[in-house]
Amino acid sequence: MDSADVCRALGISKRTLQTWRNNGRIPFSMLGGKVYFKESDIDELLQAGLKPKNK
């Protein structure tokens, strides 16, 4: 999943997603300068009914 997909799935802004990445609240990978997220990681967040906490 790319950043736009994750923002839509979690109902968050791109800036919030960036903050979570910076704080290590959500796992991600970078390929060719683009950020990707495992769908399974996002599904786990949604199934748990939890979103990573902002500081």
Side-chain angles (χ1 to χ4, degrees):
M1 299 177 80
D2 66 13
S3 295
D5 294 332
V6 173
C7 287
R8 279 191 298 273
L10 296 178
I12 59 173
S13 70
K14 288 182 181 183
R15 183 62 190 128
T16 297
L17 183 59
Q18 176 69 47
T19 300
W20 288 355
R21 283 182 23 223
N22 291 346
N23 292 334
R25 302 280 185 205
I26 192 167
F28 68 96
S29 299
M30 289 193 76
L31 296 171
K34 188 163 177 162
V35 178
Y36 292 96
F37 302 85
K38 284 185 179 179
E39 190 170 348
S40 59
D41 290 337
I42 305 307
D43 286 343
E44 285 179 23
L45 290 173
L46 292 170
Q47 287 178 4
L50 302 173
K51 294 182 183 176
K53 296 177 183 175
N54 283 326
K55 282 189 172 182

